[in-house]
Amino acid sequence: MSDDWDFGFTAVDEMPQSETTAPDPVVAQLDNSQIQPLMDKLERLEALIINNDDSSMINEHRELVQQDVVSKLKQVEDLILPLLYNLQKNPDKDYIHWPGRNSIIDKQIEKIKSVTRYYDTI
């Protein structure tokens, strides 16, 4: 078996007693003056989360995103369904004659991409 499959762990029945976790040297070097500003920021963030008065703004944004998604899905549907409906015509015929389809399909693919990859262009 290759060394690529050795991830450095072993299954054991109980925790080995001899191994202790050494403190992270970077964390060990931090003093209270470095930690306190971070703690203050965390407390402010926690207060913002707990006292979140922006829920109406979040809901409004959610509704706008949902409307945008519905609109984009409708546009994609309008691009795909006509093709499928045309392919569905004359089900009794076994063959479809479709000359020049590469350019027609390429145009349709580009239209679909312009809708589905809208956010990639922003």
Side-chain angles (χ1 to χ4, degrees):
M1 186 174 275
S2 171
D3 286 338
D4 294 341
W5 294 102
D6 181 10
F7 297 105
F9 62 84
T10 306
V12 294
D13 291 328
E14 57 185 55
M15 182 71 140
Q17 299 297 323
S18 62
E19 295 181 22
T20 58
T21 306
D24 185 341
V26 174
V27 174
Q29 293 175 1
L30 293 176
D31 60 23
N32 195 36
S33 67
Q34 295 169 311
I35 295 174
Q36 193 56 47
L38 294 173
M39 294 300 294
D40 293 342
K41 287 180 182 180
L42 284 173
E43 287 173 10
R44 283 190 301 239
L45 283 172
E46 188 177 47
L48 284 173
I49 291 169
I50 291 171
N51 302 322
N52 187 3
D53 295 331
D54 294 333
S55 60
S56 63
M57 193 165 75
I58 291 170
N59 288 334
E60 182 180 337
H61 181 71
R62 180 183 296 124
E63 288 176 21
L64 290 173
V65 169
Q66 286 174 341
Q67 289 172 1
D68 190 40
V69 169
V70 167
S71 170
K72 296 290 180 196
L73 287 173
K74 176 72 171 115
Q75 289 176 345
V76 170
E77 185 178 280
D78 290 345
L79 292 168
I80 295 172
L81 288 181
L83 169 66
L84 296 177
Y85 290 142
N86 281 332
L87 289 172
Q88 196 177 38
K89 289 180 183 176
N90 301 321
D92 54 319
K93 307 238 184 215
D94 291 334
Y95 300 99
I96 297 171
H97 181 68
W98 195 355
R101 67 180 171 267
N102 281 341
S103 63
I104 295 169
I105 291 172
D106 286 340
K107 287 178 190 175
Q108 203 66 8
I109 288 171
E110 289 306 312
K111 288 178 187 177
I112 292 169
K113 283 182 180 179
S114 72
V115 174
T116 60
R117 298 182 183 182
Y118 171 78
Y119 291 107
D120 290 344
T121 60
I122 294 178

